[in-house]
Amino acid sequence: MCLIAFAWQAHPRWRLLLAGNRDEYHARPSAALARWDDLPIVGGRDLEAGGTWLGVTEAGRCCVVTNVRDPRDPQQGTSRGLLATDYLAGANDASAHAQALLAAASAYRPFNLLTFDEEHGFYLGNRPSARAQWIAPGVHGLSNADFNTPWPKTKALMRRLQAWLDAGHEVDFAPLFRALANEQHAPDELLPDTGVGVELERWLSSAFIRGEQYGTRACTVVAIGYDGRGMIVERRFGPNGRFEGESELSWQAPSDLPMRRLG
């Protein structure tokens, strides 16, 4: 993923409500959103490295991974996508996983990782050094920089998500998909300086990136309820933003998990 905004324990129905875009080279082979046959994971799949950029489980877990934009940092180490599959298919809860990953984080390519279970959420990263941060309830954002770094497109998506919450929506995700499809570039004076040059910074500053070789491949919304029910919706795109399909999957609450709402 390259742009994420999420509401954690801030909605009366959804424990986690997340909207995000995956930007990637169009030539990189990927499988669409599906239930995996070999692991208890629901998500898209990177067919080159075998992992995922965003996945959930029907037991209520969610995991999202992004890279870190820094051309001076060599992209060496274990694939970031395996971080997500290891957490989603593993036995450790989010707290235990965060503690264990800190010891091994330096072995992976530069990453940001969000992990959620039924009770806790964590941000983990390995640049400039390994660290883990407990996520407080509220609206947060993440792109290819540190957690809650105020890049213009991250702030804009967070505002749109907050407006969605304030409007009292529950399952009308159309406003979130419109926010993810926003192609407006940030003013030059607000662009971050990540070492790629102003022209590329400008192109990458929109939520939705349209390009022949590289661009937004998927827009995704995840909603996981306090009662264990959830859904994930994925819209896919090809070169130059060509729409290629939409998938939606949902799951029911485990029979032993009671309903819980805020307020």
Side-chain angles (χ1 to χ4, degrees):
M1 301 293 281
C2 287
L3 175 63
I4 302 156
F6 65 92
W8 173 242
Q9 298 180 344
H11 186 276
R13 176 175 178 179
W14 304 118
R15 169 167 47 90
L16 174 66
L17 194 288
L18 182 148
N21 279 350
R22 180 201 182 208
D23 303 331
E24 182 56 86
Y25 287 99
H26 290 293
R28 188 171 180 119
S30 302
L33 170 69
R35 289 179 171 87
W36 294 14
D37 293 332
D38 55 334
L39 292 171
I41 293 173
V42 179
R45 194 162 197 172
D46 175 18
L47 298 180
E48 185 172 301
T52 187
W53 52 93
L54 184 157
V56 301
T57 72
E58 296 186 10
R61 294 189 183 207
C62 180
C63 189
V64 189
V65 63
T66 82
N67 65 356
V68 177
R69 191 195 306 166
D70 185 351
R72 299 158 298 186
D73 194 336
Q75 298 292 311
Q76 297 176 347
T78 305
S79 171
R80 287 177 289 265
L82 299 178
L83 288 163
T85 55
D86 287 349
Y87 169 67
L88 292 170
N92 285 340
D93 62 18
S95 297
H97 169 267
Q99 291 299 315
L101 181 57
L102 284 175
S106 62
Y108 291 86
R109 296 172 189 173
F111 73 83
N112 295 310
L113 189 72
L114 298 173
T115 59
F116 304 92
D117 62 17
E118 296 86 347
E119 297 293 334
H120 301 293
F122 282 88
Y123 162 78
L124 300 104
N126 68 345
R127 292 297 187 275
S129 59
R131 64 201 184 283
Q133 177 181 333
W134 176 79
I135 298 174
V139 173
H140 302 275
L142 179 65
S143 188
N144 303 116
D146 204 354
F147 186 46
N148 281 329
T149 295
W151 282 7
K153 66 179 181 180
T154 310
K155 292 172 61 178
L157 187 58
M158 290 171 64
R159 287 194 299 268
R160 298 285 287 272
L161 176 55
Q162 185 62 61
W164 190 92
L165 296 172
D166 294 342
H169 292 300
E170 286 205 358
V171 293
D172 179 10
F173 300 137
L176 298 179
F177 278 110
R178 286 196 292 271
L180 293 172
N182 184 9
E183 296 187 52
Q184 182 177 357
H185 294 155
D188 285 359
E189 63 270 20
L190 298 181
L191 295 174
D193 182 5
T194 63
V196 299
V198 66
E199 184 175 349
L200 188 53
E201 295 282 13
R202 187 184 299 125
W203 183 57
L204 295 173
S205 70
S206 59
F208 189 94
I209 298 171
R210 188 182 298 268
E212 177 66 30
Q213 305 298 325
Y214 179 91
T216 298
R217 297 277 304 271
C219 301
T220 307
V221 172
V222 175
I224 301 177
Y226 296 97
D227 62 350
R229 300 183 184 188
M231 65 178 68
I232 178 170
V233 185
E234 176 188 83
R235 294 181 179 176
R236 294 177 295 280
F237 303 88
N240 294 317
R242 183 183 66 246
F243 179 70
E244 293 191 336
E246 177 174 327
S247 301
E248 176 179 331
L249 293 172
S250 61
W251 59 93
Q252 299 298 311
S255 59
D256 60 344
L257 187 62
M259 181 68 175
R260 174 187 167 200
R261 299 175 72 93
L262 291 179

